[in-house]
Amino acid sequence: MRHLFLFLFLLLFSFSSKAQFSVIPKPLSVQPGEGTFTLSSETPVIAGKFQNEAKYLQKHLQDEFQIAIHISGKKSRHPSILLQENPNLQPNEYYLSVKQDGIAVYGKTSKEIFFALQTLLQMLPAGASRQAEIPVAQIHDYPKFGYRGMHLDVSRHFFTADEVKRYLDYLAYFKFDKFHWHLTDDQGWRIEIKKYPKLTTAGAWRNGSQTGPYADMKFDTIRYGGFYTQEEILDVVRYAQKLHIDVIPEIEMPGHEMAAIAAYPELSCTKGTFEVRKEWGVEENILCPTEYTFKFLENVLDEVIRLFPYEYIHIGGDEAPKTSWKNSSFCQELIQRLNLKDEHGLQSYFIKRMEKYLNSKGKKIIGWNEILEGGLAPNATVMSWTGEEGGIEAAKSGHKAIMTPVATNYFDHYQGDPKTEPLAFGGYTTLQKVYQYQPVPKELNASEAQYIWGTQGNVWTEYIPDFPQVEYMIFPRMMALSEVAWGTSDTRQYQYFLQRVQTHFKRFDRLGIRYSKAAFTQ
């Protein structure tokens, strides 16, 4: 009987502590205590060298909870929040100690302090205003994967720089640390390149868009487009840096480049005039591997490199039909001259040549899993999207892989009954399916598994015309992926995850953020 009483007590304590602890992603270790810490305008933040992080906390507490804390350089007689460097901790590791008489945050660098503050912000009650009771707890935490990414396609539909910043805010709140910015495609070129002004005067605009279901093949005639100036790009990148997010630009090659070809027809293997593509899907006309094309790409990348300080650049490499190459006498002669096997070998040559150039500039490349065809570039990282096979092959050959399979990580797919959901690309990716995903394939042994760098959610925007719809498609699925990427997801505790998600819905309602309730209505 005594053992039964103890079991029931622990069970009740477990559920009560979970009910008040809604952090996503779930921390690695939480030791709840008794009581709460009262956060109010009387609470100082002793920031030391972490001024930027303290200002971030100050702004969010003011904007979301009307709690006007102040930043101090010295200890106070009031219970305070202490931000403290601990050089003995590992990268990405943090400690958060909440006691009744104060809060202490420990990290090796500002990045870890920032992670801890996201946890702290999520510990505040969703309805708090001017004062908040934070539950006492000792938290030790670090992520499993070094790459925790979200992608956004701005080519099919364009989003302003301010909207991209809001997207980055969402990433930071759920501890993503990579932003994959898909800037060029057949339907629009979105980054200013000063050496090639027609990329934005012509390539950034299309004379209509596909409307309705893809199979209907209906189009409007409304001119559509937009682009980011280099000043706007730099502003977004600086904003991301303050959030400890690395920005990875994607400049597609050799396929998905109709916008560039429309601006500069010399890039095509065939002669003629071309338009920025209105239709979604895959374009047959791809970049011709001439010296003009390679010089064009090198010049473009030179400007891209100056805008994006992170060491990786995504070069696409996916969905590049070889029809135009097969019909090109130049390409066929080039295949023979380079002693290549076929057009796949020519694409491998293309990618390897661009990788060599970027490596010479101190950059590394990421490409979709099609870059494996014909032979993988020596230092490339593979983003596996058509399934897990590309990531498995990359890892087995000693290359980094980012797992982003279409079946679980594509947030442009339906998340509920297509009869009641907004028009989407297709597919069916529920919240539970995202939460159940594990980025390390079972086919890999322990040594090979080390090459799985992490995972990413992809947001392609053919059927996402505005930013509120972006929000609807990523929430709450992005929250599930954040816990998968952090390494603390547990399919046995899916119902507990759902409880925490619903707590965040209260915050979304206060901030006017759209989200889907499909997982809770079926």
Side-chain angles (χ1 to χ4, degrees):
M1 180 66 71
R2 188 169 66 180
H3 290 299
L4 178 60
F5 175 80
L6 178 62
F7 171 76
L8 291 173
F9 173 79
L10 291 173
L11 186 64
L12 179 62
F13 178 80
S14 173
F15 276 106
S16 64
S17 63
K18 286 179 179 179
Q20 65 177 344
F21 196 82
S22 301
V23 175
I24 296 175
K26 181 175 62 179
L28 188 66
S29 172
V30 179
Q31 296 181 0
E34 295 184 1
T36 61
F37 172 81
T38 302
L39 178 65
S40 70
S41 59
E42 298 295 320
T43 306
V45 179
I46 304 171
K49 65 189 293 185
F50 303 114
Q51 293 292 316
N52 288 334
E53 286 63 43
K55 290 176 182 177
Y56 176 90
L57 178 65
Q58 182 184 53
K59 183 178 188 302
H60 279 262
L61 289 175
Q62 176 64 55
D63 291 350
E64 296 182 30
F65 303 99
Q66 294 76 52
I67 300 175
I69 63 170
H70 62 281
I71 300 171
S72 175
K74 56 184 179 179
K75 291 185 178 180
S76 170
R77 60 187 177 86
H78 294 286
S80 61
I81 300 173
L82 173 66
L83 309 184
Q84 183 70 48
E85 178 184 19
N86 186 335
N88 296 320
L89 295 178
Q90 297 297 312
N92 296 318
E93 180 184 19
Y94 72 86
Y95 278 90
L96 172 60
S97 174
V98 181
K99 298 181 179 180
Q100 293 185 37
D101 60 352
I103 296 174
V105 178
Y106 301 97
K108 189 180 183 71
T109 69
S110 57
K111 183 177 184 179
E112 292 79 33
I113 297 293
F114 188 77
F115 288 161
L117 293 182
Q118 301 305 326
T119 298
L120 180 62
L121 283 168
Q122 291 192 30
M123 292 173 71
L124 272 68
S129 180
R130 301 189 183 278
Q131 184 171 298
E133 300 296 323
I134 304 176
V136 168
Q138 305 296 311
I139 299 172
H140 175 219
D141 200 15
Y142 55 85
K144 179 177 181 179
F145 295 104
Y147 190 106
R148 303 179 306 283
M150 282 293 294
H151 154 285
L152 182 63
D153 163 31
V154 297
S155 292
R156 279 48 177 257
H157 282 100
F158 180 72
F159 307 98
T160 66
D162 284 341
E163 288 171 332
V164 173
K165 287 180 181 180
R166 284 167 59 192
Y167 194 76
L168 290 168
D169 285 335
Y170 303 153
L171 269 60
Y173 194 71
F174 294 106
K175 299 188 179 75
F176 288 91
D177 68 346
K178 302 289 187 291
F179 171 47
H180 176 178
W181 202 357
H182 186 82
L183 289 163
T184 69
D185 217 298
D186 296 317
Q187 291 80 14
W189 184 284
R190 305 296 180 214
I191 176 173
E192 178 190 25
I193 301 297
K194 295 184 183 298
K195 190 174 183 64
Y196 298 106
K198 287 193 289 185
L199 286 173
T200 44
T201 58
W205 306 91
R206 60 179 183 258
N207 295 318
S209 303
Q210 187 169 2
T211 62
Y214 183 80
D216 289 355
M217 284 293 150
K218 293 181 179 179
F219 303 86
D220 64 33
T221 56
I222 302 170
R223 188 171 186 259
Y224 183 90
F227 66 93
Y228 307 102
T229 66
Q230 293 196 0
E231 289 73 20
E232 287 176 313
I233 293 280
L234 287 169
D235 182 52
V236 170
V237 170
R238 284 192 294 265
Y239 190 82
Q241 288 175 324
K242 291 181 179 179
L243 302 177
H244 299 278
I245 294 172
D246 300 312
V247 183
I248 301 167
E250 180 175 359
I251 307 298
E252 280 271 15
M253 61 185 78
H256 287 288
E257 278 284 20
M258 196 61 196
I261 292 171
Y264 294 94
E266 308 95 304
L267 295 168
S268 174
C269 285
T270 57
K271 294 182 179 181
T273 57
F274 308 99
E275 288 189 352
V276 178
R277 186 179 170 97
K278 301 178 183 179
E279 181 184 342
W280 313 139
V282 179
E283 168 64 43
E284 291 283 335
N285 199 347
I286 67 176
L287 296 178
C288 200
T290 62
E291 290 304 312
Y292 175 86
T293 295
F294 287 119
K295 189 60 180 176
F296 168 88
L297 289 172
E298 288 172 2
N299 290 335
V300 166
L301 290 170
D302 283 346
E303 295 193 33
V304 171
I305 288 168
R306 290 195 290 270
L307 300 173
F308 295 91
Y310 188 52
E311 62 182 319
Y312 282 89
I313 290 178
H314 202 300
I315 49 77
D318 65 312
E319 297 180 327
K322 307 301 187 293
T323 304
S324 63
W325 286 3
K326 287 181 179 179
N327 296 331
S328 164
S329 58
F330 168 81
C331 290
Q332 294 306 309
E333 291 171 5
L334 185 60
I335 289 172
Q336 295 295 321
R337 180 160 55 84
L338 297 175
N339 197 28
L340 302 173
K341 183 178 179 180
D342 53 20
E343 289 77 19
H344 291 299
L346 184 55
Q347 175 162 323
S348 178
Y349 162 77
F350 194 116
I351 298 298
K352 287 177 180 177
R353 179 162 170 173
M354 295 314 304
E355 182 196 49
K356 184 177 180 180
Y357 183 77
L358 283 167
N359 287 169
S360 74
K361 300 291 184 176
K363 298 291 185 179
K364 300 176 184 177
I365 70 166
I366 300 173
W368 301 107
N369 53 249
E370 285 94 332
I371 67 172
L372 288 158
E373 297 170 0
L376 186 58
N379 304 306
T381 294
V382 172
M383 188 167 275
S384 189
W385 75 276
T386 55
E388 293 190 327
E389 294 78 11
I392 293 169
E393 183 179 342
K396 285 182 175 292
S397 63
H399 286 257
K400 279 185 178 180
I402 301 160
M403 306 304 285
T404 177
V406 63
T408 55
N409 290 43
Y410 272 50
F411 297 163
D412 55 330
H413 288 183
Y414 287 102
Q415 54 194 318
D417 186 347
K419 294 179 181 178
T420 57
E421 287 288 296
L423 179 65
F425 185 85
Y428 189 57
T429 304
T430 63
L431 179 65
Q432 186 170 14
K433 186 184 288 188
V434 178
Y435 193 75
Q436 290 174 337
Y437 179 61
Q438 291 300 313
V440 179
K442 296 178 181 179
E443 292 86 342
L444 300 180
N445 60 37
S447 177
E448 295 164 343
Q450 296 178 23
Y451 290 99
I452 302 300
W453 192 7
T455 187
Q456 175 175 289
N458 292 334
V459 182
W460 302 100
T461 61
E462 287 92 337
Y463 298 97
I464 305 179
D466 54 42
F467 194 73
Q469 186 64 10
V470 171
E471 295 174 337
Y472 184 84
M473 298 303 281
I474 64 174
F475 290 128
R477 290 185 288 189
M478 187 180 91
M479 299 157 72
L481 187 65
S482 78
E483 195 147 301
V484 169
W486 200 259
T488 52
S489 60
D490 185 344
T491 55
R492 298 168 299 179
Q493 296 188 5
Y494 179 65
Q495 292 303 315
Y496 171 39
F497 171 72
L498 291 181
Q499 292 173 22
R500 288 180 285 135
V501 166
Q502 288 178 302
T503 299
H504 285 273
F505 284 172
K506 298 175 183 177
R507 174 179 177 268
F508 292 170
D509 289 337
R510 288 182 66 185
L511 297 175
I513 298 171
R514 284 196 71 200
Y515 58 90
S516 170
K517 296 181 181 178
F520 301 90
T521 58
Q522 297 178 8

